[in-house]
Each structure stands twice: as C-alpha cells, then as structure tokens.
Amino acid sequence: MSSELILRKQHYEGPFAVVAHIKNGNRLLCLSAMAEQRGLKRGMGLADARSFCPEIQTVEYNPQVDVAFQNSLVRWAKRYCPWVGKSGIDGLSLDAAGSAHLFGGEDAMLHDMRARLIQSKLTVRIGLADTVGAAWALARFGEGCAEVEKTQQAISALPVASLRISAKEDTTLQRLGVKTIGQLANLPRATIGQRFGPSVLMRLDQALGDQSESISPESNPQTYSTRLTFPEPIGLAKDVMAGVERLLLPLCEKLTQDTVGVRVLSLICRRIDGADQQVELRLARALRDPQRILPLFTKGVDGIDAGFGIDQLRLVATQVDVLQVEQVAHSQTQHNSDGLHDLMTRLGNRIGLENIQRFLPAESHIPENSVIVSPAAWSEPAGSWGNVNPRPIRLFPPEYVAARGHRPPNRFKWRAMSFTVGRITGPERIAPEWWLEDENWRHGVRDYWKVETLEGHRLWMFHTPQNPNWFVQGVFA
C-alpha cells in the first residue's frame, strides 16, 4: 500500500521501493511492479537490493500516512456494507451478507469494487467466502470466490500459510510435508492439536467455518463541524467574522462536552460562483474558548477574496486533543501562559508553528548533548534544568588554542585576537559517555574552565590531559 500511495502522488521512473527499519537494518517493505521484475523481494535488505538493482529508488516508510490512507479506504468501503474492519496494514474485511443484492449480486459488487480501486491506481486482490479466514486466504494467496457451502473445496489447494498462522508454525508444517490446507484438514484432529498446538487447529476451524469469527468494524471518527448558510451573499470581512462567531459557539460547546480542545481549525467560505476560500488556523495549544479563538481568525479573514459574495460558511475542527477537566469556580483567573500561546499562534500562522522552538534539558552531561530543540507548540517548558554548573549561552565546535600547561594560559590568541586572562574558575572534569559512539568524545576526558579576560570576553575553555591541547567551545553572556 505504501509504494502505491507514493506512486499515485509522484511518478518515479524505474524500480521503486519503500524502505523500513526492521530487525536492526533497512529492508524493503513495498515494491513497485518494475522492482519485482528485477528479482527484488519484500523483506530483502537494502544493501542486497542495491547489489541486484543499483538504480533502485527508495523512500522511507511513514506509518502515519499509511494509517490515514487505510482509514480513508475504510470510509470508502462503507458504500458496500456497514461492517468494515481493517485486516493487517494493507487490507480490509467486509461483511457483505445482506447487502450484495443492492449492487446486483456478489459478482456485480466485486466487479464494481475492483473497477473503482483500479481506477484509483491501486492493486487489488479480492476474496469472497462464507468465513473470514477463507476470504482472507483467497485474497492473499488465491484471489477468487468460494461457492456457498464449498469453502473447504475452494481453499484446500492453498498453502498452510494462508491460515494466518505464525511463520514458525508454517515452517514446522512444511518440514513435516504438510504444505496445503487440504493435507492439514485430512490429518486427525488430535494429531493437529498435539503436534502443532491449539492455534493451528483454531485457525483451521475458523477458515472452514467450524468456529465462529466476526469482523470488528471500525468506529466512525468523531467530527466537529458547524455550518451557516446566508439568505443573501456577504462580502465584508466584519460580516464573515460575525458568522465565524456564531459558528464557534456551538462548536466549542460540543468540544467542552467531549472534554477536548481544537488544535487545527479550517474555515471554508463557499462563494456563489462555486469556488471555495479556505482559512486554516493552527493553534499553539488546544483551545475551546470562543472568545480567545475568534480574534485569531482576523488576519486570515482579511485575506479572503469574496468574489461576487459568500453564501455559506463551514467551520471544521480537523485536529483535536484531549484536555483535562477544568475546575469550576466563582472567580476564574487568566493564566499567564495564555497570552504567550496566543502570540505563538499568531506568529505560527505566519512562519509555521514548527519554526517556533524552545530549548529543553536532556539527560546527558556532555555539553552539546545536554539540550534538545523542540517545537514550542508541542512541548512544555522545563521547570528546572538540574545542572549546578552554569553553561555558556553559545556553544560551538571546539576551536584550537595554542597553549601549554594544565591551567589556562595568561595570554593566548583566539580568532585572530589576543586575550589576557583576568580570572579563572574550574576545573570541571567531564568524562565521555562510553555507551554512546561519539567521534568527538572518544579520546578521553576534558577539563573545563570558565575564563574571564581583561578584554571583556567570558570564554568556556577545556584542556585534554591525555593529549595536551587547549580549546574554546563556548561564550558566556
């Protein structure tokens, strides 16, 4: 599914594969038809694949995109029946009993399903049977339809792996000469349970219909949207803002009832000529207060091209987060952080929320590893950094200083400038983290000194005892 989803959006000439990090290595997860023709297989290591096919093009696997695409297919499949569930990461299970006659029968329904998916540039394999297990086996290994009450006959020639058993169980059966479902079904039931465990017997019974199995349908996702239609078209920004205010009130009430807050809001303005104008508001924190959200729409609404008029407004919460239950009191105080988050929202809708970042402490005593940079909208400020020794405000890669001795020199040159030492503080010895492979810290310990010069610079210098040298790595404020 991943490769086809990517190929639908962007055309790649030549063999193509989606790569995922599996078992401590990069392996091929999905392949294009041209890559399979070159002899590449799923699960093959990327290095081996490049030796067979040097011109292969790869893209890293993104599970979130795959899940979102599968969810959209679940919604699409509900046109055929209400009971639709996921089958692995690349399949769907449908309980079409009682709904096939609406499409002219099972054959007509499958033909329509196949035609629509192929039109969307998707490779489809469909299996239809009385049981979930048999339909899964036909879709994955045989592709076909089992006649009513002839399930065993339809799947008997399929390999035992089509029973949804584990790879270890499949290998054991293969070594004993049991390669097909028909061969397994002809064995005594007691022998199957004793030799191969209860799971193999359960999967066989589910496929043949001797043990019931149902489809777990995917629940419909909660939607938060409101709509307002005008009897006469509007075009002024103040009229649009008035409409947004009316839409925000019921939307925020619904968010409050479900104890969630909105992170991304989309305002769709339908013009009378059929064109839509859209304003997306990305919030620095989840909100459900209409009085705080409304002013944040001002800039986006001012940029709307109303054309000959807008006759409908629709407000959709496209992303929501769970919020904690608020304590109700007679007097409510405004949090000091509210103004900061509103400012981040205004700036983020101009430059992107991910570009507004904050520093957070990391559990490492290595100076360059003791801090991480995180988007401020998706992180909380750290209460305490937990470091007794002060760190410079600016860190950079170590720069060599010509000096000798275990203490900072009285005079030295750095960046083509001469300095005279006035005051020193230290040393602070920092040892490397032996459990991490860091090329810069493989050579031993460092003794750090805080050096104040008469020229006004406050430098962070270190000495390497094992290989006597001096370096400057930071500057204090």
Side-chain angles (χ1 to χ4, degrees):
M1 183 183 296
S2 297
S3 60
E4 294 184 344
L5 178 59
I6 296 172
L7 291 175
R8 290 176 68 208
K9 297 181 179 180
Q10 186 174 355
H11 178 69
Y12 285 88
E13 296 182 357
F16 169 79
V18 177
V19 179
H21 191 74
I22 304 173
K23 295 181 180 180
N24 299 324
N26 292 324
R27 298 184 179 273
L28 306 185
L29 183 66
C30 296
L31 301 171
S32 65
M34 187 176 296
E36 291 180 346
Q37 293 174 1
R38 297 293 183 91
L40 303 183
K41 303 293 184 181
R42 293 188 180 186
M44 180 183 291
L46 181 59
D48 296 336
R50 292 193 185 279
S51 64
F52 282 98
C53 182
E55 67 273 18
I56 186 172
Q57 304 176 73
T58 61
V59 173
E60 188 176 354
Y61 174 58
N62 189 337
Q64 289 78 15
V65 175
D66 243 18
V67 170
F69 184 60
Q70 191 177 20
N71 290 336
S72 65
L73 288 179
V74 169
R75 293 193 297 271
W76 170 84
K78 289 185 178 180
R79 66 185 292 120
Y80 298 102
C81 62
W83 293 80
V84 181
K86 296 180 181 179
S87 177
I89 62 173
D90 58 353
L92 300 178
S93 297
L94 285 72
D95 188 353
S99 60
H101 70 281
L102 300 175
F103 300 89
E106 294 177 348
D107 292 337
M109 182 185 69
L110 296 183
H111 177 75
D112 180 75
M113 190 182 302
R114 186 187 305 275
R116 291 178 182 273
L117 291 173
I118 292 177
Q119 187 178 6
S120 300
K121 299 180 180 180
L122 293 176
T123 303
V124 56
R125 298 174 61 91
I126 303 177
L128 181 65
D130 294 339
T131 65
V132 177
W136 191 94
L138 289 170
R140 303 277 178 166
F141 293 86
E143 189 176 16
C145 301
E147 297 182 15
V148 179
E149 297 182 355
K150 294 184 179 180
T151 302
Q152 183 173 351
Q153 181 180 349
I155 66 173
S156 61
L158 298 180
V160 290
S162 61
L163 290 176
R164 299 173 294 172
I165 59 179
S166 66
K168 182 178 180 180
E169 293 168 339
D170 179 34
T171 303
T172 303
L173 289 168
Q174 294 280 352
R175 288 177 177 175
L176 295 176
V178 182
K179 298 182 179 181
T180 65
I181 296 178
Q183 293 174 344
L184 181 63
N186 291 331
L187 294 176
R189 291 182 57 85
T191 302
I192 298 176
Q194 292 174 359
R195 287 194 174 187
F196 311 116
S199 61
V200 175
L201 189 61
M202 179 192 68
R203 289 301 190 185
L204 178 63
D205 290 342
Q206 288 177 343
L208 299 180
D210 296 329
Q211 184 172 338
S212 62
E213 182 182 9
S214 60
I215 296 175
S216 300
E218 296 293 322
S219 59
N220 294 324
Q222 180 66 276
T223 58
Y224 299 94
S225 63
T226 52
R227 183 175 58 184
L228 179 62
T229 303
F230 303 102
E232 294 291 338
I234 62 173
L236 299 178
K238 65 177 183 179
D239 295 335
V240 176
M241 290 296 294
V244 173
E245 184 177 9
R246 292 184 59 182
L247 293 174
L248 274 173
L249 293 175
L251 180 65
C252 291
E253 289 180 1
K254 190 174 182 180
L255 294 172
T256 303
Q257 293 174 0
D258 295 344
T259 63
V260 296
V262 62
R263 288 297 297 262
V264 181
L265 269 171
S266 292
L267 174 66
I268 299 100
C269 307
R270 189 185 69 183
R271 303 193 313 193
I272 59 176
D273 60 358
D276 289 341
Q277 294 285 302
Q278 184 170 344
V279 177
E280 185 179 71
L281 180 64
R282 302 173 64 87
L283 302 175
R285 62 171 297 183
L287 293 177
R288 56 180 177 225
D289 184 359
Q291 296 180 356
R292 290 186 56 195
I293 298 175
L294 181 62
L296 303 176
F297 269 108
T298 304
K299 182 180 182 299
V301 170
D302 290 339
I304 290 177
D305 181 11
F308 295 102
I310 297 171
D311 61 357
Q312 187 183 93
L313 297 178
R314 189 157 63 96
L315 193 61
V316 183
T318 56
Q319 181 180 340
V320 296
D321 288 344
V322 177
L323 288 180
Q324 296 180 354
V325 179
E326 297 179 354
Q327 178 68 35
V328 179
H330 294 289
S331 60
Q332 295 182 349
T333 58
Q334 184 76 10
H335 296 287
N336 295 330
S337 61
D338 291 348
L340 175 61
H341 287 105
D342 291 348
L343 176 61
M344 289 166 51
T345 298
R346 295 179 185 275
L347 295 175
N349 283 280
R350 292 189 178 187
I351 64 174
L353 281 175
E354 62 279 358
N355 294 323
I356 304 176
Q357 301 174 335
R358 63 160 50 102
F359 293 105
L360 297 175
E363 294 183 359
S364 176
H365 58 268
I366 302 298
E368 52 266 35
N369 297 337
S370 62
V371 62
I372 58 176
V373 181
S374 176
W378 290 279
S379 61
E380 295 294 333
S384 174
W385 285 72
N387 196 338
V388 178
N389 298 313
R391 293 290 183 256
I393 194 171
R394 288 181 55 203
L395 278 176
F396 40 80
E399 299 178 2
Y400 176 75
V401 173
R404 294 182 179 180
H406 296 284
R407 294 177 62 84
N410 295 327
R411 296 181 61 85
F412 62 92
K413 287 187 176 182
W414 174 62
R415 292 185 177 179
M417 296 182 293
S418 298
F419 295 94
T420 302
V421 175
R423 181 181 177 184
I424 59 174
T425 305
E428 176 191 355
R429 172 160 291 189
I430 299 180
E433 297 175 338
W434 55 266
W435 56 92
L436 298 178
E437 293 186 2
D438 191 338
E439 184 66 29
N440 297 324
W441 282 82
R442 283 185 175 180
H443 306 295
V445 299
R446 297 179 181 179
D447 292 334
Y448 280 87
W449 297 77
K450 181 179 178 182
V451 178
E452 300 181 16
T453 66
L454 299 181
E455 289 76 14
H457 291 72
R458 303 170 66 201
L459 306 178
W460 206 39
M461 305 176 63
F462 69 85
H463 176 256
T464 54
Q466 60 281 347
N467 183 19
N469 281 304
W470 280 93
F471 301 87
V472 178
Q473 191 178 0
V475 177
F476 289 90

